[in-house]
C-alpha cells in the first residue's frame, strides 16, 4: 500500500476538477491525478463546515481540509457541487400530518428539499442529537434532520411531541 | 401513507402489465413493431399520461417506465423515465423539459447508492450523459428498469428480438420465480399498518383461555354488589315503621327491629363472602393473564432478528416485559375489577332510586353527566402524558442498563461523575413530565369531590322540600342519603379509573409493539425440510445493507461440501457481515444464499441453524456450570458426549484443573475464566452439536500464540470433514484452507489458495506482506484496537 501524504497545509498546491465521466478529480502537487474522489464532512451535523476530507475512490483519505473557505474558488465550487449531490439529509421544516400516533406512522413533511412522506417504523428511530435537534430515520434509511425543535411551528411541535 | 401506497400499487401494476407487455412487444417485434398504444398508458400514473403522450410518436410503445423522486440537487421532485423501443426519455416536468437519448451501441446504465440516495447513471462510453437520483424506496424498481433497458438496447443493437429467459429470477432477491407467480414470495410488500388504538381490548387474546373463570367471577361480582345494596334499603322501614312512630309516641316493635337488624347483618355477611370469592377468583385469573403476557412477549422477542436487538436498548426491553406487564396485571386484578363493581353499583343504585322515587332520583343523578364530561376532557391529556412517562422510564432504566454492564469502562476512565449526572438528568426529565401530569391530575380529583358535595347538597335541599310537601317519607330520604353517599364515593373512585386505564393502555401498547413486530428474518410460509445436509453453500448476487449503508455488494461464491474457506480482508471489509448473513441473523437485501440448492429463506430457521456451528471471537458463556455451557446447543447430551467434545476442543485438562471440574460455575459472561479458556469452551459447544457447517469468526484473535496453538489444534478437530468458513486476521492460521477469499469493501476481489494468490501479487499478497513485515497498522493494530473497544463496550 503506497503511502499517501495528507495535505493539511492549505497552501499546498492541489486542484479539484471534473473529468469527462463527470467524476471529481484531484490533482496533487506531485502531479498524481486521482479520479473519482469524493468529499465527506467529518461533522455533518455538529459542524458542517469544519473538517472535510477528500477520499479516493477506494475510500482512503487523500486530503484533509480544515475549512471549505480555505480553498480556491474553483475547488470550492466543485466540492460544494459534489457535496450537494452526495449529501442527503433533508431538514424538516414542518410536519403537516401524521397517519397515526402509533408506529409505523407516515408523516407528511415539508423539508428544505421539498415535500416528502416519511415512514416512521418505530419510535426509537427518532434519535435525540442534542437537547433541541433530532434525527429521524425513515423506513428506507433516509435521515431527516430537525435542527432546532424550537424553530418548528406550534402544530408540528405538538405532533412531534406525541412521539418523544 | 397514501402516496407511498400508490407507488407500490403502481409498481405492482406495472410489474404485472410489463410481463403482459413483454409478450406484446415480443410478438410485435415480429409484426414490424406495430403496437396497440392505448392500453399502455393505463399503467402510467395519471399525472404523467399527458406528458408521455405528447412526447411519444404515435406508434411508439412504452416498454417500461420508472418514476424517480429526486432532482440533480437532491430536492424532492417527481420525474419520469420512459423506455421505448428506440430511445430513453427523461421527462422532468409534466409541462416541458424532455430529454431524449436515442439508442446506440455505446450506451450503458449503472446504478449505485450512497447514504440513502440511489443514482442511475447513463454513460456513452466513458462520458456520463445523465445522472438521475432517487430514494432507496425505488431501488428495486430501478434495478428492474435498468435490466429492461439493457435488454432492450441489446436487442436494438443486434436487431434480434429479446430472448425470453427460461428461468425468471426475482429482480430483487434473485430467487427463481415459478411460472405462475410473478410476485416473489420472499419480497412481498411490507406491512405498514399501525396497531389499533383499542389496545386494551386486544388483551382479550390473553384472557380467552380463562373465560369461564372470568364469567364466574363476574356473576359473583353481580351478586356481591347486589348484597351490598340491601342494607340502605332496610333503613326505610327502620325509619318509617320504627323510629318515626316512636317519636310520635308509639312503642318500639322489638320483633321487627331484630328482624331488620338481622337482615342488615345477614346481607353484610353475604356481601363479605361473595366479595371475597370474587376478588380471589379474579385476582387469580389476572395474575395468570399477566404471566402469559410476559412469557408470550418474551418468547416472541427471542424470535425477533438481530436487527431488532441492534436497534433497541436493553433497559427499554426489560422495562417493557417486566414492569409494564405487571402494571397491566395490577390494572386487571385491581382497578378494572373495582371499576366494574362501581359501574354495577351505580346502575343498580340508580334503578333502586328510580323505583323508590323518580323525581328525587333524577336530582341525585344530576352531577353524573358533568363528571362524565370532565373525565372525557382529562383523559386525552392524561393518555399522552402517561405514554411520555413510560418513555422517560425506559430512559432511566436505559442509563442503568448502559452503565452497569460497562462499569469497567466507566471506572477506568473515571467517569462516575458523568454517569451520575446522566442518571440525574434522566430522572429530572422524569420529574418534569410527571409534574406536568400531576398538575392536571391533582385538579381532577378534587373537582370530582366538589361535584359530589354539590350533588349531596341538592339532594338534601330537594329532599327536605319533598318531605315538607309530603311527597316522600323521612325514611325514604334517609335511604336516599345512605345510597348516595355510597354512590358518590364510588364515582370518586371511578374517576380514578381514567388514569389507571390510560397507564395500562400505554403499557399494553408498548407490549403489543413488541408482539406486533414481525421478525425481519421471517419463518418461511412454505417450509422446505432438508433430510440430509451435505453442506454446499451457494451465494448468488448477495447484497446487504445496514440501514442505508451498503456493506455487501453483488457477492457470488460457491462453497463445496467439506471445503474450508478462509475469509480474509481488511477490518470492516464485511467478513463478519457475511457470517451474519450465512447464519441468517440478517436476510440479504438482494440476491440469495442457498444450502444444498435450497434458498435458506425457505428452510425453517431453527432447522437451518441446527446445521451451523458458530465460534465467535468473543465467546458468550451463560451463568451456569461448564457442562451446561458446553451442552447449550444440545441439552440432552450425555456426560460422555460433553467430555468427548471438551477433549476434542482441548478444554478437558484445564476444566479438570478447576475445583469443581465440569460442575464449576462460571459467572455472567464467563467471569472467572480466561479468554482462551472461554474460547475453547465455545469450541466444545460447537463440536457437540456436530454441525455440517462450521463458521469461525476470528476464533483465535485475542489470545497469545501458545493458547492459539492449543485452540488451533482444537479447531483442526472441529474443521475435519465439514464445510468451514474461517475468518482470521493472522493469515498463518488459515494454512489448511482449500481456498482463500479476499474481501474488500463488501466485494470479493480474489479467490484462490495461498500459493496462487501469492503468485498473483494482488490484494492477498499485499495483506500477507504487510503482515510478514508487521507494519500494516490498518490490519493488525487497528483491528485489534477495534476489538478491544468492541470488547469493552460489550462487556
Ligand atoms: N450493526 C451494524 N450496523 C451498521 N453498520 C454495521 C453493523 N455491523 C457492521 N457494520 C459495518 O459494516 C461494515 C462491515 O463490518 P464487518 O463487521 O462485517 O467487518 P469485518 O470484516 O468483520 O471487520 P473486522 O475484521 O474488524 O471484524 C463495517 O464498515 C461496519 O462498520
Ligand atoms: Mg468481524
Amino acid at each position: 500500500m503506497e503511502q499517501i501524504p495528507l495535505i493539511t497545509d492549505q497552501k499546498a498546491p492541489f486542484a479539484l476538477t471534473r473529468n469527462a465521466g463527470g467524476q471529481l478529480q484531484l490533482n496533487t502537487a506531485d502531479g498524481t491525478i486521482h479520479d473519482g474522489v469524493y468529499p465527506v464532512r467529518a461533522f455533518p451535523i455538529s459542524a458542517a463546515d469544519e473538517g472535510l476530507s477528500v477520499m479516493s475512490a477506494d475510500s482512503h483519505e487523500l486530503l484533509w481540509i480544515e475549512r471549505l473557505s480555505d480553498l480556491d474558488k474553483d475547488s470550492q465550487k466543485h466540492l460544494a457541487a459534489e457535496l450537494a449531490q452526495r449529501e442527503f439529509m433533508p431538514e424538516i421544516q414542518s410536519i403537516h400530518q401524521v397517519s397515526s400516533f402509533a408506529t409505523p406512522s407516515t408523516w407528511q413533511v415539508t423539508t428544505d428539499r421539498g415535500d416528502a412522506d416519511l415512514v416512521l417504523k418505530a419510535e426509537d428511530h427518532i434519535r435525540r442529537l442534542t437537547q433541541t435537534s433530532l434525527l429521524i430515520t425513515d423506513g428506507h434509511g433516509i435521515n431527516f434532520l430537525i435542527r432546532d425543535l424550537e424553530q418548528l411551528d406550534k402544530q408540528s411541535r405538538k405532533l412531534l411531541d406525541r412521539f418523544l | 401513507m397514501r402516496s407511498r401506497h400508490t407507488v407500490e400499487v403502481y409498481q405492482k401494476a406495472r410489474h404485472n402489465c410489463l410481463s403482459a407487455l413483454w409478450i406484446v412487444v415480443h410478438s410485435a417485434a415480429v409484426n414490424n413493431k406495430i403496437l396497440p398504444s392505448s392500453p399502455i398508458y393505463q399503467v402510467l400514473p395519471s399525472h404523467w399520461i399527458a406528458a408521455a403522450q405528447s412526447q411519444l410518436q404515435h406508434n411508439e410503445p412504452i416498454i417500461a417506465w420508472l418514476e424517480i423522486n429526486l432532482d440533480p440537487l437532491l430536492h424532492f421532485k417527481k420525474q419520469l423515465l420512459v423506455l421505448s423501443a428506440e430511445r430513453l426519455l427523461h421527462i422532468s416536468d409534466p409541462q416541458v423539459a424532455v430529454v431524449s437519448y436515442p439508442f446506440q451501441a455505446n450506451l450503458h446504465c449503472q446504478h449505485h447508492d450512497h447514504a440513502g440516495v440511489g443514482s442511475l447513471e447513463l454513460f456513452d462510453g466513458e462520458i456520463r450523459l445523465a445522472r438521475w437520483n432517487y430514494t432507496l424506496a425505488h431501488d428495486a424498481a430501478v434495478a428492474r428498469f435498468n435490466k429492461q433497458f439493457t435488454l432492450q438496447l441489446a436487442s436494438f443493437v443486434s436487431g434480434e428480438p429479446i430472448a425470453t429467459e427460461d428461468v425468471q429470477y426475482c429482480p430483487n432477491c434473485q430467487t427463481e420465480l415459478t411460472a405462475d407467480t410473478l410476485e416473489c414470495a420472499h419480497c412481498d410488500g411490507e406491512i405498514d399498518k399501525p396497531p389499533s388504538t383499542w389496545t386494551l381490548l386486544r388483551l382479550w387474546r390473553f384472557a380467552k383461555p380463562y373465560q369461564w373463570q372470568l364469567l364466574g367471577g363476574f356473576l359473583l361480582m353481580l351478586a356481591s354488589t347486589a348484597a351490598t345494596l340491601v342494607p340502605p334499603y332496610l333503613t326505610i322501614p327502620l325509619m318509617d315503621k320504627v323510629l318515626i312512630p316512636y317519636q310520635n309516641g308509639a312503642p318500639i316493635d322489638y320483633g321487627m327491629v331484630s328482624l331488620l337488624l338481622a337482615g342488615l347483618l345477614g346481607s353484610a355477611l353475604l356481601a363479605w363472602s361473595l366479595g371475597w370469592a370474587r376478588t380471589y377468583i379474579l385476582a387469580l385469573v389476572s395474575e395468570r393473564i399477566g404471566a402469559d403476557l410476559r412469557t408470550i412477549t418474551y418468547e416472541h422477542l427471542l424470535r425477533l432478528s438481530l436487527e431488532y436487538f441492534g436497534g433497541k436498548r436493553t433497559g427499554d426491553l426489560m422495562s417493557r416485559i417486566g414492569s409494564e406487564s405487571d402494571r397491566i396485571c395490577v390494572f386487571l386484578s385491581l382497578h378494572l375489577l373495582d371499576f366494574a363493581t362501581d359501574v354495577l353499583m351505580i346502575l343498580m343504585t340508580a334503578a333502586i332510586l328510580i323505583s323508590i322515587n323518580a323525581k328525587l332520583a333524577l336530582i341525585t343523578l344530576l352531577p353524573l353527566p358533568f363528571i362524565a364530561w370532565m373525565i372525557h376532557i382529562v383523559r386525552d391529556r392524561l393518555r399522552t402524558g402517561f405514554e411520555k412517562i413510560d418513555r422517560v422510564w425506559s430512559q432511566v432504566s436505559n442509563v442503568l442498563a448502559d452503565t452497569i454492564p460497562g462499569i469497567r469502562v466507566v471506572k477506568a476512565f473515571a467517569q462516575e461523575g458523568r454517569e451520575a449526572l446522566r442518571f440525574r438528568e434522566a430522572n429530572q426529565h422524569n420529574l418534569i413530565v410527571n409534574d406536568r401530569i400531576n398538575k392536571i391530575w391533582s385538579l381532577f380529583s378534587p373537582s370530582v369531590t366538589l361535584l359530589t358535595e354539590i350533588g349531596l347538597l341538592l339532594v338534601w335541599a330537594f329532599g327536605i322540600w319533598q318531605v315538607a310537601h309530603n311527597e316522600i317519607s323521612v325514611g325514604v330520604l334517609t335511604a336516599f342519603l345512605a345510597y348516595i353517599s355510597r354512590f358518590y364515593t364510588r364515582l370518586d373512585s371511578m374517576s380514578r379509573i381514567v388514569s389507571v386505564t390510560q397507564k395500562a393502555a400505554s403499557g399494553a401498547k408498548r407490549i403489543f409493539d413488541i408482539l406486533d413486530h414481525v421478525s425481519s428474518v421471517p419463518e418461511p410460509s412454505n417450509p422446505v425440510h432438508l433430510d440430509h445436509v451435505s453442506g454446499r453453500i451457494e451465494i448468488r448476487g448477495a447484497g446487504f445493507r445496514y440501514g442505508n449503508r451498503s456493506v455487501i455488494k453483488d457477492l457470488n461464491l460457491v462453497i463445496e461440501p467439506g471445503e474450508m474457506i478462509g475469509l480474509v480482508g481488511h477490518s470492516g471489509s464485511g467478513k463478519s457481515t457475511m457470517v451474519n448473513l450465512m447464519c441468517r441473523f440478517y436476510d440479504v437485501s438482494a440476491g440469495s444464499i442457498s444450502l444444498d440448492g435450497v434458498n435458506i429463506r425457505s428452510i425453517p430457521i431453527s432447522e437451518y441453524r441446527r446445521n451451523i456451528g458458530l465460534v465467535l471471537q468473543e465467546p458468550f458463556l451463560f451463568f451456569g456450570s461448564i457442562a451446561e455451557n458446553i451442552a447449550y446447543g444440545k441439552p440432552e447430551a450425555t456426560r460422555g458426549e460433553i467430555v468427548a467434545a471438551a477433549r476434542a476442543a482441548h478444554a478437558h485438562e484445564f476444566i479438570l484443573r478447576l475445583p469443581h471440574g465440569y460442575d464449576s460455575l462460571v459467572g455472567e459472561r464467563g467471569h472467572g475464566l480466561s479468554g482462551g479458556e472461554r474460547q475453547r469452551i465455545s469450541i466444545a459447544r460447537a463440536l457437540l452439536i456436530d454441525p455440517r457447517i462450521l463458521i469461525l469468526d476470528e476464533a483465535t484473535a485475542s489470545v497469545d500464540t501458545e493458547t492459539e496453538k492449543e485452540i488451533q489444534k482444537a479447531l483442526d478437530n472441529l474443521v475435519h470433514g465439514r464445510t468451514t468458513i474461517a475468518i482470521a486476521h493472522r493469515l498463518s492460521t488459515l494454512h489448511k484452507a482449500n481456498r482463500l477469499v479476499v474481501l474488500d469493501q463488501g466485494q470479493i476481489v480474489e479467490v484462490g489458495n495461498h500459493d496462487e494468490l501469492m503468485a498473483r501479487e494482488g490484494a492477498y499478497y499485499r495483506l500477507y506482506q504487510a503482515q510478514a513485515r508487521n507494519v500494516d497498522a490498518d490490519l493488525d493494530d487497528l483491528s485489534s484496537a477495534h476489538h478491544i473497544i468492541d470488547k469493552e463496550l460489550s462487556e
Side-chain angles (χ1 to χ4, degrees):
Chain A
M1 194 141 299
E2 82 244 58
Q3 193 63 37
I4 299 160
L6 297 189
I7 306 170
T8 43
D9 176 10
Q10 356 123 346
K11 280 172 214 84
F14 63 87
L16 284 159
T17 50
R18 240 167 231 288
N19 66 12
Q23 295 173 312
L24 206 59
Q25 196 177 49
L26 176 74
N27 307 308
T28 51
D30 55 1
T32 10
I33 295 177
H34 301 275
D35 274 315
V37 302
Y38 60 93
V40 287
R41 294 188 203 269
F43 307 97
I45 297 159
S46 57
D49 289 334
E50 279 172 45
L52 275 103
S53 179
V54 177
M55 312 279 277
S56 67
D58 54 355
S59 306
H60 288 284
E61 187 177 41
L62 297 172
L63 181 68
W64 173 258
I65 302 164
E66 208 67 55
R67 48 184 75 246
L68 201 56
S69 52
D70 294 342
L71 299 183
D72 63 85
K73 280 271 162 332
D74 261 359
S75 300
Q76 255 187 55
K77 201 184 74 201
H78 285 305
L79 268 191
E82 188 70 18
L83 280 171
Q85 281 188 9
R86 291 181 55 83
E87 291 192 317
F88 190 62
M89 203 193 310
E91 251 179 64
I92 295 182
Q93 287 161 340
S94 73
I95 304 169
H96 304 296
Q97 209 190 328
V98 300
S99 67
S100 84
F101 291 116
T103 51
S105 156
T106 308
W107 300 11
Q108 287 170 19
V109 296
T110 298
T111 69
D112 59 341
R113 293 168 187 267
D115 290 342
D117 282 359
L118 75 92
V119 180
L120 184 73
K121 283 269 170 82
E123 272 159 17
D124 32 49
H125 289 182
I126 304 181
R127 215 179 97 203
R128 211 174 252 283
L129 297 172
T130 64
Q131 265 311 315
T132 57
S133 58
L134 299 172
L135 193 69
I136 301 173
T137 310
D138 97 328
H140 294 286
I142 302 173
N143 292 318
F144 289 81
L145 181 71
I146 295 181
R147 201 173 279 281
D148 191 354
L149 270 177
E150 323 267 289
Q151 299 280 303
L152 288 183
D153 54 283
K154 203 160 168 219
Q155 137 107 1
S156 314
R157 271 216 309 266
K158 216 162 155 187
L159 289 176
L160 192 61
D161 200 46
R162 293 290 295 270
F163 294 89
L164 297 180
Chain B
M1 189 89 225
R2 196 179 308 124
S3 73
R4 189 193 137 78
H5 186 71
T6 35
V7 168
E8 269 176 19
V9 170
Y10 289 150
Q11 284 179 353
K12 266 192 191 148
R14 216 196 76 210
H15 196 97
N16 293 338
C17 290
L18 270 182
S19 39
L21 268 176
W22 264 63
I23 302 160
V24 176
V25 171
H26 205 70
S27 50
V30 186
N31 293 331
N32 289 332
K33 297 186 178 171
I34 298 165
L35 274 176
S37 57
S38 50
I40 295 158
Y41 294 114
Q42 287 169 8
V43 297
L44 264 181
S46 56
H47 52 275
W48 288 115
I49 290 181
Q53 231 156 10
S54 72
Q55 293 307 326
L56 290 168
Q57 260 109 51
H58 182 57
N59 271 338
E60 199 175 358
I62 297 180
I63 309 285
W65 58 267
L66 171 71
E67 191 178 55
I68 51 177
N69 61 349
L70 292 174
D71 71 4
L73 288 174
L74 302 185
H75 287 254
F76 289 102
K77 182 161 182 277
K78 292 205 162 71
Q79 298 153 72
L80 187 72
L81 289 174
V82 177
L83 182 67
S84 84
E86 298 178 348
R87 58 183 178 146
L88 182 65
L89 278 176
H90 173 222
I91 308 177
S92 54
D93 197 295
Q95 263 70 51
V96 274
V98 175
V99 191
S100 161
Y101 302 93
F103 284 172
Q104 41 153 323
N106 269 344
L107 286 184
H108 64 106
C109 259
Q110 265 178 18
H111 65 110
H112 53 87
D113 66 87
H114 166 78
V117 179
S119 344
L120 180 68
E121 292 179 320
L122 180 68
F123 287 93
D124 177 4
E126 285 295 292
I127 298 167
R128 184 171 70 182
L129 298 178
R131 170 180 176 151
W132 301 293
N133 300 315
Y134 52 89
T135 59
L136 288 182
H138 300 269
D139 210 32
V142 171
R144 269 198 300 265
F145 185 81
N146 194 0
K147 195 170 171 192
Q148 296 263 331
F149 169 81
T150 315
L151 287 172
Q152 192 63 33
L153 182 66
S155 121
F156 177 85
V157 173
S158 65
E160 285 170 22
I162 296 169
T164 24
E165 286 185 5
D166 298 342
V167 193
Q168 288 274 347
Y169 293 103
C170 165
N172 194 18
C173 72
Q174 302 293 326
T175 33
E176 281 182 24
L177 298 180
T178 48
D180 46 12
T181 53
L182 278 163
E183 296 279 318
C184 173
H186 299 308
C187 302
D188 270 350
E190 342 147 52
I191 316 139
D192 273 339
K193 282 222 187 70
S196 120
T197 32
W198 287 89
T199 8
L200 274 177
L201 286 187
R202 299 180 60 196
L203 286 174
W204 177 243
R205 176 181 143 198
F206 295 93
K208 192 122 192 293
Y210 305 101
Q211 50 185 336
W212 296 115
Q213 283 100 312
L214 281 172
L215 182 70
F218 182 72
L219 292 179
L220 279 172
M221 186 191 298
L222 265 181
S224 72
T225 314
T228 55
L229 289 177
V230 175
Y233 204 85
L234 294 180
T235 56
I236 303 180
L238 214 53
M239 202 52 99
D240 288 347
K241 302 257 163 65
V242 181
L243 289 178
I244 298 201
Y246 173 72
Q247 240 176 8
N248 295 341
I252 286 185
D253 178 351
Y254 285 103
M256 191 170 184
V257 168
S258 47
L259 206 68
L260 285 174
L261 290 184
L264 279 177
L265 181 68
S267 62
L269 284 177
L270 188 67
W272 171 76
S273 59
L274 286 174
W276 169 77
R278 164 205 75 173
T279 313
Y280 181 70
I281 288 186
L282 290 179
L284 218 64
V285 171
S286 75
E287 209 53 66
R288 272 161 190 66
I289 294 177
D292 288 355
L293 189 65
R294 253 191 302 272
T295 41
I296 290 178
T297 314
Y298 182 59
E299 278 165 16
H300 185 84
L301 185 70
L302 284 181
R303 259 179 271 132
L304 292 176
S305 72
L306 275 191
E307 188 186 357
Y308 186 80
F309 290 92
K312 294 283 174 205
R313 300 179 66 178
T314 320
D316 181 45
L317 292 178
M318 274 165 48
S319 93
R320 284 188 195 203
I321 294 182
S323 50
E324 318 252 337
S325 64
D326 190 53
R327 182 184 297 166
I328 292 175
C329 179
V330 168
F331 167 75
L332 291 178
S333 69
L334 227 66
H335 302 293
L336 191 60
L337 187 62
D338 281 351
F339 181 70
T341 321
D342 294 347
V343 170
L344 279 180
M345 173 88 93
I346 286 178
L347 289 180
M348 288 186 190
T349 320
I352 295 173
L353 291 184
I354 289 174
S355 74
I356 303 176
N357 185 299
K359 252 201 238 165
L360 192 54
L362 280 183
I363 296 283
T364 319
L365 299 176
L366 211 57
L368 261 187
F370 286 103
I371 292 179
W373 171 74
M374 263 181 64
I375 289 177
H376 176 75
I377 47 170
V378 171
R379 190 182 53 198
D380 243 20
R381 291 168 184 232
L382 283 180
R383 185 183 53 218
T384 55
F386 284 123
E387 277 178 23
K388 258 203 168 100
I389 289 186
D390 286 346
R391 281 192 215 116
V392 172
W393 255 120
S394 306
Q395 216 170 311
V396 172
S397 45
N398 270 333
V399 175
L400 291 178
D402 270 0
T403 39
I404 294 176
I407 193 69
R408 265 172 58 188
V409 184
V410 175
K411 284 187 182 298
F413 289 90
Q415 291 298 313
E416 289 94 338
R418 186 174 75 188
E419 294 303 335
L421 186 69
R422 209 150 74 95
F423 188 71
R424 196 175 311 146
E425 267 168 14
N427 231 347
Q428 189 65 32
H429 197 165
N430 183 16
L431 271 185
I432 295 174
V433 177
N434 267 301
D435 284 352
R436 213 175 303 152
I437 291 238
N438 288 338
K439 221 178 275 169
I440 308 170
W441 184 236
S442 56
L443 192 66
F444 183 64
S445 263
S447 310
V448 173
T449 319
L450 180 69
L451 281 179
T452 59
E453 295 291 340
I454 293 176
L456 214 61
L457 199 78
L458 280 177
V459 174
W460 270 111
F462 194 68
I464 291 171
W465 184 82
Q466 274 190 316
V467 172
H469 286 75
N470 281 329
E471 280 180 25
I472 54 171
S473 63
V474 177
V476 170
L477 181 58
T478 42
F480 255 84
L481 289 170
Y483 272 122
I484 128 179
S485 61
R486 280 165 193 243
F487 185 98
Y488 279 150
T489 48
R490 284 308 176 172
L491 264 192
D492 189 39
S493 81
M494 247 176 96
S495 64
R496 250 177 273 278
I497 189 77
V498 180
S499 90
V500 287
T501 315
Q502 297 306 349
K503 269 187 196 163
S506 67
K509 185 189 145 216
R510 285 157 61 76
I511 285 189
F512 280 111
D513 267 355
I514 298 181
L515 283 174
D516 289 339
H517 196 95
V518 187
S519 173
S520 59
V521 178
E523 287 283 353
S525 43
N526 301 311
V528 179
H529 299 278
L530 294 178
D531 296 330
H532 174 76
V533 176
S534 67
R536 181 176 193 273
I537 300 175
E538 186 180 349
I539 304 169
R540 180 162 41 179
F544 180 72
R545 53 178 85 243
Y546 289 110
N548 61 25
R549 255 181 86 189
S550 186
V551 176
I552 300 283
K553 290 157 225 150
D554 195 27
L555 197 139
N556 293 288
L557 183 66
V558 177
I559 305 172
E560 297 300 335
E563 193 181 18
M564 177 174 177
I565 293 283
L567 211 53
V568 299
H570 284 281
S571 180
S573 54
K575 304 180 295 290
S576 301
T577 307
M578 273 316 296
V579 168
N580 284 341
L581 293 178
M582 283 191 222
C583 296
R584 216 177 159 221
F585 291 147
Y586 294 87
D587 266 339
V588 285
S589 39
S592 65
I593 299 179
S594 5
L595 173 64
D596 291 359
V598 180
N599 190 330
I600 59 172
R601 289 188 187 196
S602 312
I603 308 172
I605 296 172
S606 56
E607 205 170 295
Y608 173 66
R609 297 223 180 104
R610 214 172 293 143
N611 294 303
I612 297 181
L614 181 62
V615 181
L616 294 173
Q617 188 204 349
E618 262 310 301
F620 191 96
L621 300 189
F622 294 96
F623 185 87
S625 75
I626 288 187
E628 279 163 2
N629 267 293
I630 292 179
Y632 188 74
K634 192 182 173 188
E636 73 281 1
T638 63
R639 294 207 177 79
E641 285 174 316
I642 293 175
V643 172
R647 271 221 175 84
H650 288 249
H652 185 62
E653 286 181 3
F654 93 76
I655 295 174
L656 290 184
R657 280 197 291 271
L658 295 171
H660 299 288
Y662 281 86
D663 287 331
S664 312
L665 281 186
V666 283
E668 260 178 277
R669 280 164 248 225
H671 264 292
L673 290 182
S674 79
E677 289 166 345
R678 262 180 264 172
Q679 189 59 270
R680 276 175 279 169
I681 289 184
S682 80
I683 293 174
R685 190 192 275 165
L687 258 177
L688 188 65
I689 60 171
D690 189 24
R692 290 312 310 150
I693 301 164
L694 188 64
I695 299 181
L696 311 168
D697 191 351
E698 295 169 42
T700 60
S702 66
V703 292
D704 61 289
T705 28
E706 198 56 34
T707 326
E708 186 190 333
K709 273 195 200 119
E710 283 279 301
I711 297 179
Q712 199 59 46
K713 273 190 255 163
L715 285 178
D716 290 347
N717 280 336
L718 194 51
V719 164
H720 190 75
R722 300 171 214 272
T723 307
T724 306
I725 295 119
I727 299 178
H729 275 125
R730 286 185 210 151
L731 301 177
S732 52
T733 55
L734 295 176
H735 64 277
K736 287 218 166 159
N738 304 84
R739 279 191 297 164
L740 294 164
V741 174
V742 186
L743 275 185
D744 189 37
Q745 300 196 27
Q747 278 166 322
I748 295 182
V749 287
E750 278 176 60
V751 182
N753 64 31
H754 176 79
D755 298 333
E756 286 166 19
L757 294 180
M758 287 305 280
R760 199 180 294 173
E761 304 207 347
Y764 179 78
Y765 176 81
R766 282 198 298 277
L767 275 176
Y768 192 85
Q769 289 295 320
Q771 231 169 61
R773 274 182 284 127
N774 206 10
V775 289
D776 194 300
D778 220 38
L779 197 74
D780 253 352
D781 298 352
L782 273 190
S783 65
S784 58
H786 171 103
H787 288 310
I788 289 168
I789 290 169
D790 269 359
K791 194 165 129 192
E792 293 289 355
L793 289 182
S794 63
E795 252 172 38

